[in-house]
Amino acid sequence: MAQVLVVTSGKGGVGKTTSTAALGAALAHDGTKVVVIDFDVGLRNLDLVMGAERRVVFDLINVINGVAKLPQALIRDKRLESLHLLPASQTRDKDALTEDGVAKVIDELREKFDWIICDSPAGIERGATLAMRYADAAIIVTNPEVSSVRDSDRIIGLLDSKTVKAERGERIDKHLLITRYSSSRVARGEMLSIDDVLEILATPLLGIIPESQEVLRASNVGSPVTLSNPLSAPARAYFDAARRLKGEQVSMSVPSENRGIFNRLFARKAA
Amino acid sequence: MSLFNFFRRGSAPIARERLQILLAHERNAGSHPDLLGVLREEIIAVIGRHVAIDPDRVQIKMDRGKSVSTLAVDIEIPNRDQPSGGAPRYSKLTFDAGRDVLGMRGSGI
């Protein structure tokens, strides 16, 4: 039974696309069939973060309009053959995204994939509401920072009211993914702690992704961080989160930025 | 929070408290999306039944606190004995509804 996930946040720049790519690759690692869909019509970036920007021919809007068949628009990842990308269009009007069109595409994808991950655009407009519309579960990406937490609260309200599942009276599963977390700043009292954010948002925690230069490096080279450096702290945190999504019990560790001297030397050499 | 605490403990506790207060109110706002707008119209209507007032000279302010919110209303009422040709003079009518306005005391926290 396919699972449709939306990766959402309200606020921009918190790591939705990074997390979509990293979790998609982590889930697909064992051959599980995964498709990641970019819903940011006009400002697509998932293709770039996945390193597939030069291979985009058709996109989501083309499929909805009937210009292309779904298999023609799907881009298979070069590193993981069970991982696919459905890009957003770069130029077309975002009104081309219709509720019926999205429903049809998602239904067709449900037949072919185990996980369908919808990368939501920022904001609460059409693209964002359609990205969450057919989701079975949601990952809310939050930075430990006031504006991000406030927007996450707003998005949680929308998930509980504007999704098909919510309208049917069912509960949509919600998972909180805290990104750009710095334990040293929390220790100094400069950053909201995990407990602070969990208490305010009252949503179960999926994972804690530490602030790390590996995330920027991964997007620079066009690879999900879980593929570019699977042993790095953020990649391990994403792998743990993916295992929790699959229902495994994985103890929640707060990743530390502290690295041993050996790791530091090794990282410098590798850079 | 005192300045001393601010420097000693960092700013995270302030962020946490501000968020808790804000979100408690925003979550309640669902049933009353434009509470201030509604209050403003109704208060103007009530006062307007007895004296002529200029809607632009009505100010409504709300301060949302953790356990208590306050609503302050400033209405300027034109004086009748205005000199002809001159701009109308105004008296000021102030309500300060003070504590426990609109059942917001301790809302959602």
Side-chain angles (χ1 to χ4, degrees), chain A residues 145-146 149-150 153 188-193 195-196 199-201, chain B residues 8-16 18-20 22-23 26-27:
Chain A
E145 177 273 325
V146 288
V149 174
R150 179 201 209 171
D153 190 72
R188 289 198 298 270
E190 296 169 3
M191 183 180 266
L192 287 167
S193 70
D195 286 346
D196 288 342
E199 189 193 331
I200 291 167
L201 294 178
Chain B
R8 198 176 53 122
R9 291 169 57 198
S11 51
I14 301 175
R16 175 195 153 96
R18 288 178 59 220
L19 270 170
Q20 284 177 327
L22 174 72
L23 293 182
E26 284 188 348
R27 287 167 187 162

